[in-house]
Amino acid sequence: MSKFFIILVSLFMCIIHSHAHHSLYKDASLPISERVEDLLSNMTLKEKAMQLTQGRIGENDNLNNLENGKQKFIPTTGSFIFFGTNVIYRNEYQKRAVEDTRLGIPLLFAYDVIHGYRTVYPISLGQACSFNTNLVEKACRFAAKEASDTGINWTFSPMIDVARDPRWGRVSEGYGEDPLVNSAFCIASVKGYQGNDLTHSDTIAACLKHFVGYSESVAGIDYAYSDISERAMWETYLPPYLAGINAGAATIMSGFNDINGVPAVCNDFYLNQILRKKWGFNGVVVSDWNAIRQLKNQGFSKNPLVQGSASLKAGNDIDMMSGIYMRIPKMVEQGYIDEATVDDAVRRVLELKFKLGLFENPYTTVQEPELCYLKEDYINISEQLAIESMVLLKNNQVLPITSSTKIFVVGNLLNDNEALLGSWAMRGRSEDVFDIMSGLELYKPTDVILVDSAENADIILMCIGETQKMSGENGSRSTIKLHNQGLVNEYKKYGKKIILITSSGRPISFQDIEENADAILHIWQPGTTTGTALAKIIFGINNPSGKLAMTFPRTAGQIPIYYNKHQSSRIGNRDWSGLYQDIESTPMYEFGYGLSYTTFAYTDLHINQDTLEAQVTITNTGERAGKETVLWFISDPEASITQPIKKLKYFEKIDLLPGESKTVFFPINKSNHLSYDLNGKSIFEAGTFNILVGTQLSSFEVN
Ligand code: GLC
């Protein structure tokens, strides 16, 4: 055999081998870790940089987010925020990545599915007031179905920033002021979005945001500096993230905020030391929109190579929309960062894509769009969640309306369906919303008449509240007075009973209007099924069961005000306990407050000193069936590190028929319920603890 022929054959074999070797990552029978390493070993530095870059496809409908220069589609980009709804269009982009590039790495399509996609559920702060995690898990499951049917495989949700300042518009997006409530709904959302197997076509990767402490924005201003003590971080802001990571959340988004002088996007301590090293999170961290370039504004650096390398080294894997990570080859070349660090980030992105099954199933099945949305199950869950999120704040025996009554309905909510959808309504449409008047018409008893003037009415049903843009991102307000509250005083002159139906994306001040209302039902922003959910409550078909997940101050001057505060050094008599001189210092309505059309009695609180199991009996002492959320609070009145006056440690929601009693149990354990956090370490100190549930209070000793 001639030498030439031998060389030719061996060359051919090398090509075959290298090609075969190169496509090892496409072999689905191999472990993901092997596929990742094989693919990574074949990538150029530029290809790696593109995998860490996130662009957008479709028209950006978030007007808060400006863009840097013209967007051009580069098929080797790692991920896109998909503002489109056309699956064929989406698959064409995917095809260019999978079939027209050297390595065929599929794209990730992300979107902000915060409280629904096309079917809109109540805003998250309203959902939290339901205290019904099963219902929220179902809602997120259905939201994932609608979104994945449209080609989305990654949502930037749940937002779990514990919120204590209602001036900040984004309190609407999270689950209120309590760390346990945010943790519980974080777990429910992650389970709902991700299901049991991320390779299933109807699951989407969750994203815990905005890591960390973004809600502690100075003065309630958005995007601002956050000055947070380590105590507050460990006691309040970090726990929901650990809960979400333990629930298997695939990704995390770093915040816009500057954390005590080190902006979140390049904060090595929280991203690398805590998230990755202490908690072992090995998922993807994505920046917020243009956050890396914004490091210039925050006084960190004007140099994009410093901005980018600092963020990447800190553990921020993907650059959302700044384009700076596309300069990673230059950062490596000039010694700002080593390629091994780049590889770590690329590994996590590739692993996410393999976990999502994108290499095997990169395309979304094309269906008739309208058949994917607003399905009966989705609507039913949306309505149930809307009903359970509404909070009855006052009722002078005027609700429910059941007997023959003439009602005059008035207020800005009657003609503003967008307001009822709330912020981040995404593909939700105002024309899909079941509006308030239609709901009242549909469910009113035959002898209840809707009249067209206040004079002719027995009751004025006043539906007032914030517009969609008054809360959410970039929705900070210096006052929390209710938008259009002047209407209450205007209609007071008719001398009729006034039922206030209020809507907002934040706790609001009822200081000026509470006394003129005979009933107040706060509905938050209930979403697509507002009209039917509200009518069912007003006419008593359903009994309200919502409880506040965030305290309502009397006035903005009290902010920050929250239930789990630390004790003052002077307490008791108001004259010398440092309280306000000009107003009552307690909140208007505290965390956990909410009325029902029935009443519940709490009796026989007992703690088993051996097993530390607490139990209490709850009886429905009224005439109607109702749901009651049982909130268990623990306090530790003496500890080397002072503790909040009380902390929610357990909750569950029960159904009770009239006259029915149930015994509810709370299995107390030292580490979860009686210890406190000292910079990440759980500390238990023996001593006396107090337990509060409903009207029952007791103490117990633990050694
Ligand atoms: C926004 C928000 C973030 C959202 C992202 C993408 O600025 O801060 O919550 O996920 O941009 O829309």
Side-chain angles (χ1 to χ4, degrees):
M1 191 183 298
S2 77
K3 200 180 282 183
F4 172 73
F5 184 71
I6 290 168
I7 292 168
L8 203 63
V9 167
S10 22
L11 194 63
F12 180 68
M13 292 308 288
C14 283
I15 291 166
I16 294 292
H17 172 72
S18 71
H19 182 72
H21 176 73
H22 283 189
S23 60
L24 263 186
Y25 65 92
K26 289 181 180 168
D27 178 351
S29 68
L30 290 177
I32 286 181
S33 55
E34 285 182 32
R35 302 176 73 184
V36 166
E37 290 313 316
D38 176 64
L39 179 48
L40 187 65
S41 65
N42 286 287
M43 293 173 74
T44 64
L45 187 52
K46 183 157 177 47
E47 286 166 332
K48 293 174 184 177
M50 288 312 295
Q51 281 302 307
L52 304 183
T53 296
Q54 184 172 101
R56 65 149 176 84
I57 290 174
E59 278 315 301
N60 167 20
D61 56 14
N62 181 346
L63 303 181
N64 300 310
N65 287 330
L66 306 177
E67 297 188 4
N68 301 292
K70 193 90 188 76
Q71 287 296 311
K72 146 158 105 54
F73 175 69
I74 303 170
T76 51
T77 305
S79 57
F80 289 91
I81 302 179
F82 182 51
F83 287 100
T85 54
N86 181 317
V87 172
I88 296 169
Y89 166 77
R90 176 259 189 218
N91 285 344
E92 278 162 16
Y93 280 101
Q94 187 67 296
K95 187 167 178 292
R96 288 188 53 194
V98 170
E99 299 180 14
D100 303 347
T101 63
R102 187 173 77 86
L103 295 168
I105 302 174
L107 309 174
L108 269 169
F109 291 86
Y111 197 57
D112 290 281
V113 186
I114 310 292
H115 55 107
Y117 181 76
R118 174 72 183 275
T119 305
V120 179
Y121 303 90
I123 55 168
S124 304
L125 184 52
Q127 293 184 25
C129 296
S130 73
F131 282 88
N132 191 328
T133 51
N134 295 332
L135 217 40
V136 168
E137 181 176 341
K138 285 190 188 122
C140 291
R141 181 88 295 276
F142 288 158
K145 285 176 180 287
E146 280 192 340
S148 55
D149 280 346
T150 319
I152 306 291
N153 25 61
W154 181 16
T155 178
F156 297 135
S157 175
M159 191 270 214
I160 51 173
D161 299 319
V162 174
R164 294 169 154 176
D165 187 336
R167 293 171 299 181
W168 190 55
R170 302 198 75 166
V171 300
S172 59
E173 298 174 47
Y175 300 101
E177 71 191 41
D178 181 78
L180 180 76
V181 173
N182 273 275
S183 301
F185 285 100
C186 171
I187 293 164
S189 307
V190 169
K191 285 182 182 170
Y193 292 135
Q194 300 189 170
N196 301 320
D197 180 347
L198 271 179
T199 60
H200 287 178
S201 62
D202 68 353
T203 62
I204 56 179
C207 181
L208 311 179
K209 71 183 187 182
H210 308 79
F211 190 73
V212 62
Y214 175 36
S215 50
E216 184 67 42
S217 241
V218 168
I221 301 285
D222 205 351
Y223 315 125
Y225 184 82
S226 52
D227 191 355
I228 308 177
S229 68
E230 278 214 86
R231 167 118 312 278
M233 271 297 189
W234 288 104
E235 195 171 84
T236 304
Y237 299 107
L238 286 168
Y241 287 90
L242 182 56
I245 289 166
N246 291 339
T251 73
I252 285 178
M253 181 185 294
S254 51
F256 279 129
N257 55 313
D258 179 342
I259 308 173
N260 305 335
V262 184
V265 71
C266 64
N267 193 304
D268 178 79
F269 177 71
Y270 285 108
L271 289 176
N272 269 338
Q273 307 315 316
I274 300 302
L275 205 51
R276 300 210 188 278
K277 292 200 174 76
K278 183 175 181 62
W279 288 349
F281 178 68
N282 201 29
V284 168
V285 173
V286 59
S287 79
D288 205 334
W289 187 292
N290 202 36
I292 294 174
R293 190 180 299 278
Q294 287 165 191
L295 288 171
K296 176 181 63 179
N297 305 338
Q298 291 169 304
F300 180 79
S301 168
K302 292 194 177 85
N303 179 344
L305 303 186
V306 173
Q307 295 163 354
S309 55
S311 303
L312 199 53
K313 278 189 283 196
N316 191 90
D317 302 318
I318 293 181
D319 163 17
M320 183 192 290
M321 293 300 295
S322 91
I324 287 173
Y325 275 14
M326 291 165 80
R327 305 186 197 190
I328 281 175
K330 186 175 275 190
M331 294 175 206
V332 171
E333 183 193 313
Q334 295 184 19
Y336 285 96
I337 195 166
D338 56 43
E339 189 159 359
T341 305
V342 177
D343 289 353
D344 289 345
V346 177
R347 261 191 202 93
R348 291 188 281 262
V349 173
L350 297 179
E351 185 174 322
L352 177 60
K353 293 185 174 185
F354 281 116
K355 275 184 179 170
L356 282 162
L358 285 175
F359 284 83
E360 285 67 50
N361 299 299
Y363 303 109
T364 298
T365 308
V366 179
Q367 305 173 61
E368 172 50 47
E370 285 313 302
L371 297 184
C372 301
Y373 304 131
L374 301 166
K375 290 180 180 174
E376 191 182 350
D377 287 354
Y378 306 169
I379 293 296
N380 292 341
I381 287 294
S382 179
E383 183 184 87
Q384 186 56 31
L385 193 46
I387 286 169
E388 295 201 26
S389 67
M390 295 179 180
V391 186
L392 184 61
L393 298 174
K394 180 178 183 182
N395 188 16
N396 293 343
Q397 273 74 45
V398 287
L399 280 173
I401 298 172
T402 49
S403 58
S404 65
T405 312
K406 293 196 286 293
I407 308 175
F408 174 63
V409 193
V410 67
N412 67 294
L413 298 179
L414 302 181
N415 311 302
D416 187 355
N417 285 353
E418 237 119 42
L420 301 174
L421 289 174
S423 64
W424 295 103
M426 311 326 280
R427 294 296 159 217
R429 295 178 184 172
S430 64
E431 59 267 33
D432 293 340
V433 175
F434 207 110
D435 65 68
I436 291 174
M437 284 308 283
S438 306
L440 294 172
E441 292 289 356
L442 180 64
Y443 285 106
K444 70 180 184 59
T446 47
D447 58 356
V448 170
I449 300 161
L450 299 178
V451 295
D452 56 8
S453 74
E455 292 88 346
N456 302 334
D458 304 313
I459 287 179
I460 296 173
L461 192 68
M462 190 170 289
C463 306
I464 54 176
E466 292 185 326
T467 64
Q468 185 179 57
K469 296 213 177 336
M470 291 173 77
S471 66
E473 182 175 357
N474 204 6
S476 298
R477 298 178 66 77
S478 68
T479 170
I480 56 170
K481 286 183 189 272
L482 183 64
H483 182 52
N484 281 343
Q485 69 170 25
L487 211 62
V488 179
N489 297 326
E490 190 185 319
Y491 277 85
K492 192 175 63 174
K493 68 192 177 208
Y494 291 101
K496 311 286 184 178
K497 291 196 180 301
I498 293 179
I499 295 175
L500 256 187
I501 306 297
T502 56
S503 167
S504 67
R506 59 166 44 88
I508 47 170
S509 163
F510 282 99
Q511 171 105 332
D512 305 338
I513 52 178
E514 190 274 340
E515 62 180 2
N516 296 322
D518 296 282
I520 302 174
L521 178 70
H522 194 68
I523 64 172
W524 299 106
Q525 289 157 333
T528 305
T529 59
T530 297
T532 52
L534 177 56
K536 288 184 173 182
I537 293 253
I538 286 175
F539 297 122
I541 298 164
N542 286 83
N543 188 350
S545 62
K547 294 198 171 196
L548 293 181
M550 191 170 173
T551 294
F552 278 44
R554 295 174 188 280
T555 160
Q558 291 179 287
I559 295 169
I561 182 170
Y562 42 88
Y563 88 92
N564 45 359
K565 64 182 182 182
H566 282 248
Q567 192 51 274
S568 307
S569 55
R570 289 189 176 180
I571 52 179
N573 181 310
R574 137 182 208 128
D575 294 343
W576 45 271
S577 49
L579 300 176
Y580 294 119
Q581 295 176 344
D582 56 334
I583 63 164
E584 174 56 50
S585 297
T586 55
M588 176 67 88
Y589 304 112
E590 184 172 88
F591 171 89
Y593 177 81
L595 301 175
S596 169
Y597 291 154
T598 186
T599 48
F600 300 99
Y602 284 68
T603 54
D604 306 322
L605 170 59
H606 171 72
I607 295 108
N608 180 317
Q609 277 297 146
D610 303 328
T611 65
L612 279 188
E613 181 175 68
Q615 68 180 69
V616 73
T617 300
I618 297 121
T619 303
N620 179 343
T621 48
E623 310 295 316
R624 308 169 53 92
K627 297 176 186 296
E628 172 68 347
T629 295
V630 184
L631 301 168
W632 294 87
F633 297 91
I634 295 267
S635 71
D636 181 354
E638 284 182 279
S640 316
I641 302 286
T642 62
Q643 294 302 301
I645 56 172
K646 61 181 180 180
K647 293 190 276 187
L648 180 70
K649 283 296 177 184
Y650 192 73
F651 66 85
E652 70 176 281
K653 193 166 193 176
I654 59 174
D655 288 283
L656 285 171
L657 295 170
E660 185 185 8
S661 295
K662 273 183 188 165
T663 299
V664 169
F665 296 91
F666 168 20
I668 298 170
N669 80 54
K670 286 184 183 179
S671 56
N672 290 344
H673 306 123
L674 305 180
S675 302
Y676 59 81
D677 208 300
L678 183 63
N679 303 345
K681 275 198 302 299
S682 177
I683 308 285
F684 171 74
E685 287 184 13
T688 303
F689 294 87
N690 301 322
I691 187 164
L692 169 69
V693 58
T695 53
Q696 299 282 295
L697 178 64
S698 178
S699 300
F700 57 103
E701 296 291 324
V702 181
N703 300 314

